[in-house]
Amino acid sequence: MYNVLSKHRYAAAQSQTAYLRYYGDTYDKIVFDDVRNNVILTAILAYMASEDPATTSRVKSILPMNTKTGEFGKWPEQKSPIRRGGLD
């Protein structure tokens, strides 16, 4: 009985997701005044950052101490990306 109910719930969730994907993603929900204001703010901040004579420090900060282990946090190691050019 549980398996049948879970299948029905899964099907209902899938149909609701499909409905929201089709009808929920519409341009009438975009507030263009907010988009315009965000673009203006981003442009102002980028300009101010480019004109600032003081540069930001490039020294890595020390991560906080882990209370369980008593050790300082470690930055993740840099990994080389997997690039296949869209071929999976």
Side-chain angles (χ1 to χ4, degrees), residues 28 38 75:
D28 64 339
N38 288 340
W75 287 98

Side-chain angles (χ1 to χ4, degrees), residues 2-18 21:
Y2 175 76
N3 196 10
V4 173
L5 286 176
S6 64
K7 285 182 182 179
H8 287 295
R9 288 182 186 149
Y10 178 76
Q14 290 298 321
S15 64
Q16 183 180 11
T17 303
R21 234 184 261 133

Side-chain angles (χ1 to χ4, degrees), residues 12-55:
Q14 290 298 321
S15 64
Q16 183 180 11
T17 303
Y19 176 83
L20 288 175
R21 234 184 261 133
Y22 185 75
Y23 292 105
D25 297 336
T26 59
Y27 291 108
D28 64 339
K29 292 178 179 67
I30 296 174
V31 181
F32 288 102
D33 289 335
D34 289 345
V35 173
R36 180 179 169 271
N37 291 336
N38 288 340
V39 168
I40 292 170
L41 177 64
T42 303
I44 291 170
L45 291 174
Y47 175 75
M48 289 174 64
S50 70
E51 295 296 318
D52 190 7
T55 58

Side-chain angles (χ1 to χ4, degrees), residues 45-74:
L45 291 174
Y47 175 75
M48 289 174 64
S50 70
E51 295 296 318
D52 190 7
T55 58
T56 303
S57 174
R58 296 178 190 255
V59 177
K60 278 188 180 180
S61 61
I62 298 173
L63 296 178
M65 186 180 292
N66 187 342
T67 56
K68 294 179 183 176
T69 63
E71 298 177 355
F72 286 101
K74 295 181 182 178

